[in-house]
Amino acid sequence: MAQGFKSTPRGYTARFTPEEVQVLTQLFEDVALTLEPDEEAATDPLADLVGISENAQIPTDPALARMLPVASNDPEMADEFRRFTELSLRRGKIANLNMAAMDARSGDLALDAEHAHAWATALNDVRLTLATRLELKTEKDAARISQMTEWKDVETTDQYMALLYNFITWLQDSLMEAMLSQLDD
Amino acid sequence: MSNQYQPVLSTAGAETLPDLDHLLDADTFTAPDVPWHVLVWNDPVNLMSYVSYVFRSYFGYDRAKAEKLMMTVHTEGKATVFTGSKEEAERHTSALHTWGLWATFERAES
């Protein structure tokens, strides 16, 4: 059974069983893979170098659309914003997810501020992805999903995803409380 | 004789161009003093602890202000978390997307 995050003199510590390590690394890597930019989209090497997408469109995958959201209700402005920011947004998220996946492997964590930040955003992107797959759209959906906490009750893929979602939620909340405790009031 | 004509042309040019600029300004550009807003929208996924942490650590808001904004997002569906220039608003929107918050920017209603 996992030990959630705590703020200690060694940093933000947490401990996971080998099964939990496997689940965490898998989730981080899966979401990182989802965020990989389209190979075909980046054809101009200079545009690619400075992080401009030539043809950035609202992603059709709802999980991606949530992680790379529309930034303005003016479609022209939203398009331009996406062209200039989406590639670096994808790369930033992938870097954080990969860092968290590497950290997770040890099973016994003591994170500094930089790694804790990566974990906070990586866990959030995992939750956003699982939530879209679970079609979690309202507070009512959230309440229903939050009841799935027992391994022995799992019979379907959705129930398994709900269980993972609740595990990641609990883990992220423990990290955020620990990080909040380190801020000055 | 030919020299007499030129001043007329250049005068006309000097009078016409500023008018054209003015017209362009009004139609397609924003006056620099019109502020822009960054909005954060509610969703049932982002944790209250997470949203508070982002407002405190990224914007440097104190606990009271961060929690008030977070509760406004939660209860009213959205909150204005920043007001300033368009450039800053775009930068903050991008940073909030990196954090995974659902942020948009818009011109403030005058």
Side-chain angles (χ1 to χ4, degrees), chain A residues 24-182:
Chain A
L24 279 169
T25 49
Q26 187 75 57
L27 285 170
F28 289 141
E29 285 167 3
D30 282 355
V31 177
L33 204 62
T34 313
L35 281 160
E36 280 295 337
D38 253 341
E39 287 290 331
E40 288 166 39
T43 44
D44 180 344
L46 185 63
D48 184 58
L49 190 69
V50 295
I52 299 171
S53 331
E54 283 189 81
N55 194 16
Q57 285 167 356
I58 302 172
T60 46
D61 174 353
L64 268 185
R66 176 58 190 81
M67 287 188 281
L68 313 168
V70 176
S72 168
N73 57 13
D74 176 332
E76 216 171 295
M77 224 178 270
D79 273 3
E80 187 183 280
F81 183 84
R82 185 176 293 281
R83 245 165 38 80
F84 282 93
T85 62
E86 193 189 280
L87 205 53
S88 64
L89 181 58
R90 283 176 186 263
R91 286 173 178 162
K93 284 178 183 293
I94 291 170
N96 286 336
L97 286 155
N98 286 342
M99 185 182 266
M102 292 285 283
D103 290 338
R105 283 180 216 284
S106 79
D108 190 359
L109 275 58
L111 307 177
D112 64 11
E114 185 197 359
H115 285 250
H117 171 257
W119 271 76
T121 62
L123 290 169
N124 207 63
D125 285 334
V126 167
R127 292 183 62 248
L128 290 173
T129 303
L130 287 172
T132 29
R133 304 282 182 251
L134 285 163
E135 297 189 32
L136 194 171
K137 287 173 183 155
T138 63
E139 304 286 344
K140 213 169 147 190
D141 297 333
R144 173 176 49 80
I145 288 163
S146 72
Q147 292 180 351
M148 178 55 67
T149 54
E150 298 289 338
W151 278 104
K152 62 178 170 54
D153 297 338
V154 171
E155 284 167 359
T156 66
T157 312
D158 270 14
Q159 288 174 336
Y160 178 61
M161 274 203 293
L163 194 77
L164 292 183
Y165 179 79
N166 292 330
F167 170 61
I168 302 296
T169 301
W170 166 79
L171 188 60
Q172 190 194 19
D173 200 38
S174 74
L175 177 60
M176 297 333 295
E177 290 299 339
M179 289 172 81
L180 280 165
S181 76
Q182 292 304 298

Side-chain angles (χ1 to χ4, degrees), chain B residues 72-90:
Chain B
T72 306
V73 173
H74 189 63
T75 57
E76 288 173 32
K78 64 179 176 179
T80 302
V81 297
F82 173 83
T83 302
S85 71
K86 185 184 182 205
E87 203 174 58
E88 287 172 297
E90 286 179 330

